[in-house]
Amino acid sequence: MSSSTNSKGKAMTWQALCLMAYTVVWGFGNTVNGFANQGLKVVVSWMILFLFYFIPYNLMVGEMGATFGSGAGGVSSWIKQTCSSKLAFFAGWTFWVVNIPYLAQKPQNILIALGWAVFQNDQLTRMIPPLLLQAISLGLFLFFMWYASRGVSALKRIGSLAGSSMFVMSILYVLLVLAAPYITDAQTFSYHFDFATFVPNFDFQYMTTLSILVFAVGGCERIAPYVTSLKRPEKEFPKAMIVMTVMVAVTAVLGTFAMGLMFDPNHIPKDLMMNGAYYCFARLGAYYGIGRTFVILYAICAALGQAATLAISIDAPIKFLLSDVDPKFVPHSFTRMNANGVPVNGYKLTGILVSILIIVPALGIGDMTTLYIWLLRLNAICMPMAYLWVFFAYFMLKKSPKTFTSAYHLTRSRFLGKCIGLWCFAITAYASVMGMVPYGVETGSSTWWFQIVMNIATPVILLGIGLIFPILAKKERSHEALEAEY
């Protein structure tokens, strides 16, 4: 087979990449989490975040992807081109390691979805002890790690299917809920479209919830390693990012309006973050007199979506670390690829760390709801730390004396570009730090102290492990040099 034919066979359409990005960035659960934290006031929060953060964020990624379309390492490649190989390694390490808590929670989400699909309630997670449930989660994670190791074609199939199905279910939910008061006998809540209903109180407690919102809208750069699978990456990658941004904004804002009809914002269920999406579709089926049909359909789509996100999130972050890394900073054994272009030892290390984070917390946390919410908030602290590298890379692109050519620009102004990069960097860093303060827990209690210690220690330890890799690589080079002498 010729190289051109092979390239064509591996080509991905921008629509497929857009749906993969939507799957990675957004899920109906993000709408639920926003509502669970701020009620209807999150509508204004979403609008502010989309306008001043999410839109420039995605357009930045679009410009970086168009500028460095041949960079297989995503953000690592961007940092390497604009800064140095050493910083590129640390960027890649950050992107990989902050995904460890994220990967540890995804199997939980799959089990929750399967429980609702089979039983149409949350009994599966209630009737199984947390430790056994986490052991099952570990089995699921190992399966999808194997699936991701089959290469980009497998990820493309599951990503496209999951992205399209979740988007359809989100829009279907919005339309049917908004129509329910007019065409059914459904008893819904009512609210006034006024200042008091939608404008949040920008106090300290509000600031501690920002990390959940920033976490919800971040992550589109995880798709960057697949830019080389596009036929015309310089044009198609920005287009995919723009369309995905519109899809997320529509589903988030309209979905929140719809949830306001179903749940009293002043009396939000405690487990809404864990089971809220399923409560939504269960009530929707009751409105239209079709029982649990909607909740079963959504649960199946959610299981597919979580599976796709898990597989993509296993594969992409390790490629950030290893695909374009300088061998001075990573031992050669960790860069070895199999026939499918998968870093085998990188996958193994991912599996070890995720396994630890899946099992160990279950030894000390007695119920699934507490464990789920803690992991979710831990993700909201750790994951935005990776986004910081995107904004740093964009700032350095605009600051660089080199001239980079691109078919797409967020802005051609170097000064404005640097300002946008700094702005998004500052918002992300602030939200991540504020998220370390426990939310919904009595201040000064033993639980509060446990959570704040874990919230600070976990990212510090995970990031700190990255300092070991350059040391190992240096020892490997020294050993190889000694062998060469003899």
Short mmCIF file of all heavy atoms in Angstrom, two decimals, residues 89-154:
data_model
loop_
_atom_site.label_atom_id
_atom_site.label_comp_id
_atom_site.label_asym_id
_atom_site.label_seq_id
_atom_site.Cartn_x
_atom_site.Cartn_y
_atom_site.Cartn_z
N PHE A 89 8.25 19.13 27.83
CA PHE A 89 8.11 17.92 28.64
C PHE A 89 7.19 18.16 29.83
O PHE A 89 6.29 17.36 30.12
CB PHE A 89 9.47 17.42 29.14
CG PHE A 89 9.36 16.48 30.30
CD1 PHE A 89 8.89 15.19 30.12
CD2 PHE A 89 9.68 16.90 31.59
CE1 PHE A 89 8.75 14.33 31.20
CE2 PHE A 89 9.56 16.04 32.67
CZ PHE A 89 9.10 14.76 32.47
N PHE A 90 7.41 19.27 30.56
CA PHE A 90 6.59 19.53 31.74
C PHE A 90 5.14 19.80 31.37
O PHE A 90 4.22 19.45 32.12
CB PHE A 90 7.18 20.68 32.54
CG PHE A 90 8.41 20.31 33.31
CD1 PHE A 90 9.65 20.84 32.99
CD2 PHE A 90 8.35 19.39 34.35
CE1 PHE A 90 10.79 20.48 33.69
CE2 PHE A 90 9.48 19.02 35.06
CZ PHE A 90 10.71 19.56 34.72
N ALA A 91 4.92 20.41 30.19
CA ALA A 91 3.55 20.60 29.72
C ALA A 91 2.89 19.25 29.45
O ALA A 91 1.75 18.99 29.86
CB ALA A 91 3.54 21.45 28.46
N GLY A 92 3.62 18.38 28.76
CA GLY A 92 3.09 17.05 28.47
C GLY A 92 2.84 16.25 29.73
O GLY A 92 1.83 15.55 29.85
N TRP A 93 3.76 16.37 30.69
CA TRP A 93 3.58 15.66 31.96
C TRP A 93 2.33 16.15 32.67
O TRP A 93 1.53 15.34 33.18
CB TRP A 93 4.81 15.84 32.86
CG TRP A 93 4.61 15.21 34.20
CD1 TRP A 93 4.15 15.79 35.34
CD2 TRP A 93 4.81 13.83 34.51
NE1 TRP A 93 4.06 14.88 36.36
CE2 TRP A 93 4.45 13.66 35.87
CE3 TRP A 93 5.25 12.73 33.79
CZ2 TRP A 93 4.55 12.43 36.50
CZ3 TRP A 93 5.34 11.51 34.42
CH2 TRP A 93 4.99 11.36 35.76
N THR A 94 2.14 17.46 32.72
CA THR A 94 0.96 18.02 33.39
C THR A 94 -0.31 17.52 32.74
O THR A 94 -1.25 17.08 33.43
CB THR A 94 0.99 19.56 33.34
OG1 THR A 94 2.21 20.03 33.93
CG2 THR A 94 -0.19 20.15 34.11
N PHE A 95 -0.36 17.56 31.41
CA PHE A 95 -1.57 17.10 30.71
C PHE A 95 -1.85 15.64 30.99
O PHE A 95 -3.01 15.23 31.07
CB PHE A 95 -1.42 17.33 29.20
CG PHE A 95 -2.07 18.59 28.74
CD1 PHE A 95 -1.33 19.76 28.66
CD2 PHE A 95 -3.40 18.63 28.43
CE1 PHE A 95 -1.92 20.94 28.26
CE2 PHE A 95 -4.01 19.80 28.03
CZ PHE A 95 -3.27 20.96 27.94
N TRP A 96 -0.80 14.86 31.11
CA TRP A 96 -1.03 13.45 31.37
C TRP A 96 -1.45 13.20 32.81
O TRP A 96 -2.45 12.55 33.09
CB TRP A 96 0.24 12.65 31.05
CG TRP A 96 0.12 11.22 31.47
CD1 TRP A 96 -0.73 10.28 30.95
CD2 TRP A 96 0.84 10.58 32.52
NE1 TRP A 96 -0.56 9.09 31.61
CE2 TRP A 96 0.40 9.24 32.58
CE3 TRP A 96 1.84 11.01 33.40
CZ2 TRP A 96 0.91 8.33 33.48
CZ3 TRP A 96 2.35 10.10 34.31
CH2 TRP A 96 1.89 8.78 34.35
N VAL A 97 -0.69 13.75 33.76
CA VAL A 97 -0.87 13.35 35.15
C VAL A 97 -2.16 13.90 35.76
O VAL A 97 -2.75 13.25 36.64
CB VAL A 97 0.36 13.77 35.98
CG1 VAL A 97 0.31 15.23 36.39
CG2 VAL A 97 0.54 12.85 37.19
N VAL A 98 -2.64 15.08 35.33
CA VAL A 98 -3.89 15.59 35.91
C VAL A 98 -5.09 14.79 35.44
O VAL A 98 -6.20 14.94 35.99
CB VAL A 98 -4.09 17.09 35.59
CG1 VAL A 98 -2.98 17.93 36.18
CG2 VAL A 98 -4.24 17.33 34.09
N ASN A 99 -4.90 13.94 34.43
CA ASN A 99 -5.98 13.08 33.97
C ASN A 99 -6.17 11.86 34.85
O ASN A 99 -7.16 11.14 34.68
CB ASN A 99 -5.73 12.64 32.52
CG ASN A 99 -6.23 13.62 31.51
OD1 ASN A 99 -7.37 13.57 31.08
ND2 ASN A 99 -5.37 14.55 31.13
N ILE A 100 -5.23 11.61 35.76
CA ILE A 100 -5.33 10.41 36.59
C ILE A 100 -6.61 10.41 37.44
O ILE A 100 -7.38 9.43 37.43
CB ILE A 100 -4.08 10.25 37.48
CG1 ILE A 100 -2.82 10.11 36.60
CG2 ILE A 100 -4.23 9.06 38.40
CD1 ILE A 100 -2.85 8.96 35.63
N PRO A 101 -6.93 11.50 38.18
CA PRO A 101 -8.22 11.52 38.90
C PRO A 101 -9.42 11.45 37.96
O PRO A 101 -10.44 10.85 38.29
CB PRO A 101 -8.19 12.85 39.66
CG PRO A 101 -6.75 13.22 39.75
CD PRO A 101 -6.13 12.71 38.50
N TYR A 102 -9.28 12.07 36.79
CA TYR A 102 -10.37 12.07 35.80
C TYR A 102 -10.64 10.65 35.31
O TYR A 102 -11.79 10.21 35.24
CB TYR A 102 -9.96 12.97 34.63
CG TYR A 102 -11.01 13.19 33.58
CD1 TYR A 102 -12.10 14.01 33.83
CD2 TYR A 102 -10.89 12.60 32.32
CE1 TYR A 102 -13.06 14.24 32.84
CE2 TYR A 102 -11.84 12.82 31.34
CZ TYR A 102 -12.92 13.65 31.60
OH TYR A 102 -13.86 13.86 30.62
N LEU A 103 -9.57 9.93 34.98
CA LEU A 103 -9.73 8.55 34.53
C LEU A 103 -10.26 7.65 35.64
O LEU A 103 -10.97 6.69 35.37
CB LEU A 103 -8.38 8.01 34.03
CG LEU A 103 -7.80 8.68 32.78
CD1 LEU A 103 -6.41 8.14 32.50
CD2 LEU A 103 -8.70 8.48 31.58
N ALA A 104 -9.91 7.98 36.89
CA ALA A 104 -10.37 7.16 38.02
C ALA A 104 -11.87 7.28 38.22
O ALA A 104 -12.50 6.36 38.77
CB ALA A 104 -9.63 7.57 39.29
N GLN A 105 -12.47 8.39 37.79
CA GLN A 105 -13.90 8.58 38.01
C GLN A 105 -14.76 8.09 36.84
O GLN A 105 -15.92 7.72 37.04
CB GLN A 105 -14.22 10.04 38.27
CG GLN A 105 -15.68 10.26 38.67
CD GLN A 105 -15.93 11.63 39.26
OE1 GLN A 105 -15.48 12.63 38.71
NE2 GLN A 105 -16.64 11.69 40.37
N LYS A 106 -14.21 8.06 35.64
CA LYS A 106 -15.02 7.69 34.48
C LYS A 106 -15.65 6.30 34.60
O LYS A 106 -16.81 6.12 34.22
CB LYS A 106 -14.17 7.80 33.20
CG LYS A 106 -14.00 9.22 32.70
CD LYS A 106 -15.34 9.86 32.41
CE LYS A 106 -15.23 11.35 32.19
NZ LYS A 106 -16.54 11.98 32.05
N PRO A 107 -14.96 5.28 35.10
CA PRO A 107 -15.63 3.98 35.25
C PRO A 107 -16.83 4.05 36.20
O PRO A 107 -17.81 3.32 36.01
CB PRO A 107 -14.53 3.07 35.81
CG PRO A 107 -13.26 3.70 35.37
CD PRO A 107 -13.51 5.17 35.41
N GLN A 108 -16.75 4.91 37.23
CA GLN A 108 -17.91 5.11 38.10
C GLN A 108 -19.11 5.59 37.28
O GLN A 108 -20.23 5.10 37.44
CB GLN A 108 -17.61 6.16 39.17
CG GLN A 108 -16.64 5.76 40.25
CD GLN A 108 -16.47 6.88 41.27
OE1 GLN A 108 -16.84 8.02 41.04
NE2 GLN A 108 -15.91 6.54 42.41
N ASN A 109 -18.86 6.55 36.40
CA ASN A 109 -19.94 7.10 35.58
C ASN A 109 -20.55 6.05 34.67
O ASN A 109 -21.76 6.04 34.43
CB ASN A 109 -19.42 8.26 34.75
CG ASN A 109 -19.06 9.47 35.59
OD1 ASN A 109 -19.63 9.68 36.66
ND2 ASN A 109 -18.09 10.25 35.15
N ILE A 110 -19.70 5.17 34.14
CA ILE A 110 -20.21 4.09 33.29
C ILE A 110 -21.11 3.16 34.10
O ILE A 110 -22.20 2.76 33.64
CB ILE A 110 -19.05 3.31 32.65
CG1 ILE A 110 -18.26 4.22 31.70
CG2 ILE A 110 -19.58 2.10 31.88
CD1 ILE A 110 -17.00 3.59 31.15
N LEU A 111 -20.67 2.80 35.32
CA LEU A 111 -21.48 1.92 36.16
C LEU A 111 -22.81 2.57 36.54
O LEU A 111 -23.85 1.90 36.56
CB LEU A 111 -20.70 1.55 37.42
CG LEU A 111 -19.60 0.50 37.26
CD1 LEU A 111 -18.86 0.32 38.58
CD2 LEU A 111 -20.19 -0.82 36.79
N ILE A 112 -22.78 3.85 36.86
CA ILE A 112 -24.02 4.56 37.19
C ILE A 112 -24.97 4.52 36.00
O ILE A 112 -26.18 4.26 36.15
CB ILE A 112 -23.71 6.01 37.60
CG1 ILE A 112 -22.95 6.04 38.93
CG2 ILE A 112 -25.00 6.83 37.72
CD1 ILE A 112 -22.36 7.39 39.27
N ALA A 113 -24.43 4.77 34.80
CA ALA A 113 -25.27 4.75 33.59
C ALA A 113 -25.85 3.36 33.35
O ALA A 113 -27.04 3.21 33.03
CB ALA A 113 -24.45 5.20 32.39
N LEU A 114 -25.03 2.32 33.51
CA LEU A 114 -25.51 0.96 33.30
C LEU A 114 -26.58 0.58 34.33
O LEU A 114 -27.55 -0.12 34.02
CB LEU A 114 -24.34 -0.03 33.37
CG LEU A 114 -23.32 0.06 32.23
CD1 LEU A 114 -22.15 -0.90 32.48
CD2 LEU A 114 -23.98 -0.24 30.89
N GLY A 115 -26.40 1.07 35.58
CA GLY A 115 -27.39 0.80 36.61
C GLY A 115 -28.75 1.39 36.26
O GLY A 115 -29.79 0.75 36.44
N TRP A 116 -28.73 2.62 35.75
CA TRP A 116 -30.00 3.26 35.36
C TRP A 116 -30.58 2.59 34.11
O TRP A 116 -31.82 2.52 33.97
CB TRP A 116 -29.78 4.75 35.12
CG TRP A 116 -29.76 5.54 36.39
CD1 TRP A 116 -28.69 5.83 37.17
CD2 TRP A 116 -30.89 6.14 37.03
NE1 TRP A 116 -29.07 6.58 38.27
CE2 TRP A 116 -30.42 6.78 38.20
CE3 TRP A 116 -32.26 6.21 36.73
CZ2 TRP A 116 -31.26 7.48 39.06
CZ3 TRP A 116 -33.10 6.90 37.59
CH2 TRP A 116 -32.61 7.52 38.74
N ALA A 117 -29.73 2.13 33.20
CA ALA A 117 -30.22 1.47 31.99
C ALA A 117 -30.92 0.16 32.32
O ALA A 117 -31.94 -0.19 31.71
CB ALA A 117 -29.07 1.22 31.01
N VAL A 118 -30.39 -0.57 33.31
CA VAL A 118 -30.94 -1.89 33.66
C VAL A 118 -32.08 -1.78 34.68
O VAL A 118 -33.16 -2.37 34.49
CB VAL A 118 -29.83 -2.80 34.20
CG1 VAL A 118 -30.41 -4.14 34.68
CG2 VAL A 118 -28.77 -3.04 33.14
N PHE A 119 -31.87 -1.02 35.75
CA PHE A 119 -32.84 -0.96 36.85
C PHE A 119 -33.70 0.30 36.84
O PHE A 119 -34.67 0.39 37.59
CB PHE A 119 -32.11 -1.04 38.20
CG PHE A 119 -31.27 -2.28 38.37
CD1 PHE A 119 -29.89 -2.21 38.31
CD2 PHE A 119 -31.87 -3.51 38.59
CE1 PHE A 119 -29.11 -3.34 38.47
CE2 PHE A 119 -31.10 -4.65 38.75
CZ PHE A 119 -29.72 -4.57 38.68
N GLN A 120 -33.33 1.29 36.02
CA GLN A 120 -34.02 2.58 35.95
C GLN A 120 -34.04 3.32 37.30
O GLN A 120 -34.96 4.08 37.60
CB GLN A 120 -35.47 2.43 35.43
CG GLN A 120 -35.55 1.98 33.98
CD GLN A 120 -35.58 0.48 33.85
OE1 GLN A 120 -36.50 -0.16 34.34
NE2 GLN A 120 -34.60 -0.09 33.17
N ASN A 121 -33.03 3.06 38.11
CA ASN A 121 -32.87 3.78 39.38
C ASN A 121 -31.40 3.71 39.79
O ASN A 121 -30.57 3.19 39.04
CB ASN A 121 -33.78 3.20 40.47
CG ASN A 121 -33.57 1.71 40.69
OD1 ASN A 121 -32.44 1.23 40.73
ND2 ASN A 121 -34.66 0.96 40.84
N ASP A 122 -31.10 4.23 40.99
CA ASP A 122 -29.71 4.28 41.44
C ASP A 122 -29.37 3.13 42.39
O ASP A 122 -28.39 3.22 43.14
CB ASP A 122 -29.43 5.62 42.12
CG ASP A 122 -30.31 5.82 43.36
OD1 ASP A 122 -31.29 5.07 43.54
OD2 ASP A 122 -30.00 6.73 44.15
N GLN A 123 -30.12 2.05 42.33
CA GLN A 123 -29.92 0.96 43.29
C GLN A 123 -28.62 0.20 43.08
O GLN A 123 -28.08 -0.37 44.03
CB GLN A 123 -31.11 -0.02 43.23
CG GLN A 123 -32.40 0.55 43.77
CD GLN A 123 -32.22 1.08 45.19
OE1 GLN A 123 -31.78 0.37 46.09
NE2 GLN A 123 -32.56 2.35 45.38
N LEU A 124 -28.09 0.18 41.85
CA LEU A 124 -26.86 -0.56 41.61
C LEU A 124 -25.72 -0.03 42.48
O LEU A 124 -24.97 -0.80 43.09
CB LEU A 124 -26.47 -0.47 40.13
CG LEU A 124 -25.16 -1.19 39.75
CD1 LEU A 124 -25.29 -2.69 39.96
CD2 LEU A 124 -24.78 -0.89 38.30
N THR A 125 -25.59 1.28 42.55
CA THR A 125 -24.50 1.87 43.35
C THR A 125 -24.81 1.86 44.84
O THR A 125 -23.92 2.08 45.66
CB THR A 125 -24.23 3.31 42.90
OG1 THR A 125 -25.43 4.09 42.99
CG2 THR A 125 -23.72 3.34 41.47
N ARG A 126 -26.06 1.61 45.21
CA ARG A 126 -26.44 1.56 46.62
C ARG A 126 -26.29 0.15 47.20
O ARG A 126 -25.96 -0.01 48.37
CB ARG A 126 -27.88 2.03 46.81
CG ARG A 126 -28.07 3.52 46.54
CD ARG A 126 -29.55 3.90 46.73
NE ARG A 126 -29.80 5.31 46.46
CZ ARG A 126 -29.70 6.28 47.36
NH1 ARG A 126 -29.35 5.98 48.60
NH2 ARG A 126 -29.94 7.52 47.04
N MET A 127 -26.54 -0.87 46.36
CA MET A 127 -26.56 -2.22 46.90
C MET A 127 -25.19 -2.90 46.86
O MET A 127 -25.01 -3.98 47.45
CB MET A 127 -27.58 -3.08 46.15
CG MET A 127 -27.28 -3.31 44.69
SD MET A 127 -28.65 -4.20 43.88
CE MET A 127 -28.01 -4.40 42.22
N ILE A 128 -24.21 -2.29 46.20
CA ILE A 128 -22.87 -2.87 46.14
C ILE A 128 -21.95 -2.05 47.03
O ILE A 128 -21.91 -0.82 46.94
CB ILE A 128 -22.35 -2.87 44.69
CG1 ILE A 128 -23.28 -3.68 43.78
CG2 ILE A 128 -20.93 -3.43 44.63
CD1 ILE A 128 -22.86 -3.67 42.32
N PRO A 129 -21.18 -2.68 47.92
CA PRO A 129 -20.24 -1.95 48.78
C PRO A 129 -19.26 -1.13 47.94
O PRO A 129 -18.85 -1.57 46.85
CB PRO A 129 -19.53 -3.07 49.55
CG PRO A 129 -20.46 -4.23 49.50
CD PRO A 129 -21.17 -4.13 48.18
N PRO A 130 -18.87 0.05 48.42
CA PRO A 130 -17.97 0.92 47.66
C PRO A 130 -16.69 0.24 47.19
O PRO A 130 -16.24 0.46 46.06
CB PRO A 130 -17.68 2.06 48.64
CG PRO A 130 -18.88 2.12 49.52
CD PRO A 130 -19.32 0.70 49.67
N LEU A 131 -16.09 -0.59 48.04
CA LEU A 131 -14.83 -1.23 47.67
C LEU A 131 -15.03 -2.19 46.49
O LEU A 131 -14.23 -2.21 45.54
CB LEU A 131 -14.23 -1.99 48.86
CG LEU A 131 -12.82 -2.56 48.64
CD1 LEU A 131 -11.84 -1.47 48.25
CD2 LEU A 131 -12.34 -3.29 49.90
N LEU A 132 -16.12 -2.98 46.53
CA LEU A 132 -16.42 -3.90 45.43
C LEU A 132 -16.76 -3.11 44.17
O LEU A 132 -16.36 -3.47 43.05
CB LEU A 132 -17.58 -4.83 45.81
CG LEU A 132 -18.04 -5.80 44.72
CD1 LEU A 132 -16.89 -6.69 44.24
CD2 LEU A 132 -19.21 -6.65 45.22
N LEU A 133 -17.51 -2.02 44.34
CA LEU A 133 -17.88 -1.18 43.21
C LEU A 133 -16.64 -0.60 42.53
O LEU A 133 -16.54 -0.55 41.30
CB LEU A 133 -18.79 -0.05 43.68
CG LEU A 133 -19.71 0.59 42.63
CD1 LEU A 133 -20.71 -0.42 42.11
CD2 LEU A 133 -20.42 1.78 43.23
N GLN A 134 -15.67 -0.18 43.34
CA GLN A 134 -14.43 0.37 42.79
C GLN A 134 -13.59 -0.72 42.12
O GLN A 134 -12.89 -0.45 41.14
CB GLN A 134 -13.63 1.06 43.88
CG GLN A 134 -14.26 2.37 44.38
CD GLN A 134 -14.41 3.39 43.28
OE1 GLN A 134 -15.42 3.43 42.59
NE2 GLN A 134 -13.41 4.22 43.12
N ALA A 135 -13.68 -1.95 42.63
CA ALA A 135 -12.97 -3.07 41.99
C ALA A 135 -13.56 -3.32 40.60
O ALA A 135 -12.82 -3.58 39.63
CB ALA A 135 -13.06 -4.32 42.85
N ILE A 136 -14.88 -3.24 40.49
CA ILE A 136 -15.53 -3.38 39.18
C ILE A 136 -15.12 -2.22 38.27
O ILE A 136 -14.88 -2.39 37.07
CB ILE A 136 -17.06 -3.44 39.34
CG1 ILE A 136 -17.45 -4.67 40.17
CG2 ILE A 136 -17.74 -3.48 37.98
CD1 ILE A 136 -18.93 -4.70 40.56
N SER A 137 -15.05 -1.02 38.85
CA SER A 137 -14.62 0.15 38.09
C SER A 137 -13.22 -0.05 37.53
O SER A 137 -12.92 0.34 36.39
CB SER A 137 -14.66 1.41 38.98
OG SER A 137 -15.97 1.70 39.40
N LEU A 138 -12.35 -0.65 38.34
CA LEU A 138 -11.00 -0.93 37.89
C LEU A 138 -11.00 -1.88 36.69
O LEU A 138 -10.25 -1.68 35.72
CB LEU A 138 -10.18 -1.53 39.03
CG LEU A 138 -8.74 -1.94 38.69
CD1 LEU A 138 -7.94 -0.77 38.16
CD2 LEU A 138 -8.06 -2.54 39.92
N GLY A 139 -11.86 -2.89 36.74
CA GLY A 139 -11.97 -3.81 35.62
C GLY A 139 -12.42 -3.11 34.34
O GLY A 139 -11.90 -3.37 33.25
N LEU A 140 -13.39 -2.20 34.49
CA LEU A 140 -13.85 -1.43 33.34
C LEU A 140 -12.73 -0.57 32.77
O LEU A 140 -12.54 -0.46 31.55
CB LEU A 140 -15.03 -0.54 33.73
CG LEU A 140 -16.40 -1.20 33.80
CD1 LEU A 140 -17.43 -0.22 34.37
CD2 LEU A 140 -16.84 -1.65 32.41
N PHE A 141 -11.99 0.07 33.67
CA PHE A 141 -10.90 0.93 33.21
C PHE A 141 -9.87 0.12 32.42
O PHE A 141 -9.42 0.54 31.34
CB PHE A 141 -10.21 1.60 34.40
CG PHE A 141 -8.92 2.25 34.03
CD1 PHE A 141 -8.90 3.46 33.33
CD2 PHE A 141 -7.70 1.64 34.34
CE1 PHE A 141 -7.70 4.04 32.96
CE2 PHE A 141 -6.50 2.23 33.97
CZ PHE A 141 -6.50 3.43 33.28
N LEU A 142 -9.49 -1.05 32.91
CA LEU A 142 -8.50 -1.87 32.23
C LEU A 142 -9.01 -2.32 30.87
O LEU A 142 -8.24 -2.40 29.89
CB LEU A 142 -8.13 -3.08 33.10
CG LEU A 142 -7.42 -2.74 34.41
CD1 LEU A 142 -7.21 -4.00 35.24
CD2 LEU A 142 -6.09 -2.04 34.14
N PHE A 143 -10.31 -2.60 30.77
CA PHE A 143 -10.87 -2.98 29.47
C PHE A 143 -10.75 -1.85 28.47
O PHE A 143 -10.34 -2.04 27.31
CB PHE A 143 -12.34 -3.39 29.62
CG PHE A 143 -13.05 -3.52 28.29
CD1 PHE A 143 -12.88 -4.66 27.52
CD2 PHE A 143 -13.87 -2.51 27.82
CE1 PHE A 143 -13.51 -4.78 26.28
CE2 PHE A 143 -14.51 -2.62 26.60
CZ PHE A 143 -14.33 -3.76 25.82
N PHE A 144 -11.11 -0.63 28.88
CA PHE A 144 -11.06 0.48 27.95
C PHE A 144 -9.63 0.94 27.67
O PHE A 144 -9.37 1.54 26.62
CB PHE A 144 -11.93 1.64 28.45
CG PHE A 144 -13.39 1.41 28.19
CD1 PHE A 144 -14.23 1.01 29.22
CD2 PHE A 144 -13.91 1.54 26.93
CE1 PHE A 144 -15.57 0.77 28.99
CE2 PHE A 144 -15.24 1.30 26.67
CZ PHE A 144 -16.08 0.92 27.71
N MET A 145 -8.72 0.65 28.55
CA MET A 145 -7.33 0.90 28.24
C MET A 145 -6.88 -0.02 27.12
O MET A 145 -6.15 0.40 26.21
CB MET A 145 -6.46 0.71 29.48
CG MET A 145 -5.02 1.16 29.28
SD MET A 145 -4.06 1.27 30.81
CE MET A 145 -4.01 -0.45 31.30
N TRP A 146 -7.33 -1.26 27.16
CA TRP A 146 -7.05 -2.18 26.06
C TRP A 146 -7.70 -1.70 24.78
O TRP A 146 -7.08 -1.72 23.70
CB TRP A 146 -7.56 -3.58 26.41
CG TRP A 146 -7.61 -4.50 25.21
CD1 TRP A 146 -6.58 -5.19 24.66
CD2 TRP A 146 -8.76 -4.77 24.40
NE1 TRP A 146 -7.01 -5.89 23.55
CE2 TRP A 146 -8.35 -5.65 23.37
CE3 TRP A 146 -10.10 -4.38 24.45
CZ2 TRP A 146 -9.23 -6.12 22.40
CZ3 TRP A 146 -10.98 -4.84 23.49
CH2 TRP A 146 -10.54 -5.70 22.48
N TYR A 147 -8.94 -1.23 24.86
CA TYR A 147 -9.65 -0.76 23.67
C TYR A 147 -8.92 0.44 23.06
O TYR A 147 -8.73 0.52 21.84
CB TYR A 147 -11.08 -0.36 24.03
CG TYR A 147 -11.90 0.09 22.83
CD1 TYR A 147 -12.53 -0.84 22.02
CD2 TYR A 147 -12.03 1.45 22.52
CE1 TYR A 147 -13.27 -0.43 20.92
CE2 TYR A 147 -12.77 1.86 21.43
CZ TYR A 147 -13.39 0.91 20.63
OH TYR A 147 -14.10 1.32 19.53
N ALA A 148 -8.50 1.39 23.88
CA ALA A 148 -7.79 2.57 23.38
C ALA A 148 -6.48 2.18 22.71
O ALA A 148 -6.02 2.87 21.79
CB ALA A 148 -7.53 3.55 24.52
N SER A 149 -5.87 1.07 23.16
CA SER A 149 -4.60 0.65 22.59
C SER A 149 -4.72 0.15 21.16
O SER A 149 -3.71 -0.09 20.49
CB SER A 149 -3.99 -0.46 23.46
OG SER A 149 -4.72 -1.67 23.33
N ARG A 150 -5.94 0.02 20.66
CA ARG A 150 -6.14 -0.46 19.29
C ARG A 150 -5.95 0.63 18.26
O ARG A 150 -5.95 0.38 17.07
CB ARG A 150 -7.54 -1.07 19.15
CG ARG A 150 -7.77 -2.25 20.10
CD ARG A 150 -9.11 -2.90 19.87
NE ARG A 150 -9.20 -3.51 18.55
CZ ARG A 150 -10.30 -4.07 18.07
NH1 ARG A 150 -11.40 -4.11 18.81
NH2 ARG A 150 -10.31 -4.59 16.86
N GLY A 151 -5.81 1.90 18.73
CA GLY A 151 -5.45 2.96 17.80
C GLY A 151 -6.57 3.92 17.49
O GLY A 151 -7.70 3.82 17.98
N VAL A 152 -6.27 4.92 16.60
CA VAL A 152 -7.17 6.03 16.33
C VAL A 152 -8.46 5.61 15.65
O VAL A 152 -9.50 6.22 15.84
CB VAL A 152 -6.43 7.11 15.49
CG1 VAL A 152 -6.15 6.60 14.09
CG2 VAL A 152 -7.23 8.41 15.44
N SER A 153 -8.44 4.54 14.84
CA SER A 153 -9.65 4.13 14.14
C SER A 153 -10.73 3.68 15.12
O SER A 153 -11.92 3.99 14.94
CB SER A 153 -9.34 3.01 13.14
OG SER A 153 -8.79 1.89 13.81
N ALA A 154 -10.32 2.99 16.18
CA ALA A 154 -11.28 2.56 17.20
C ALA A 154 -11.84 3.75 17.94
O ALA A 154 -13.04 3.83 18.22
CB ALA A 154 -10.61 1.59 18.18
#
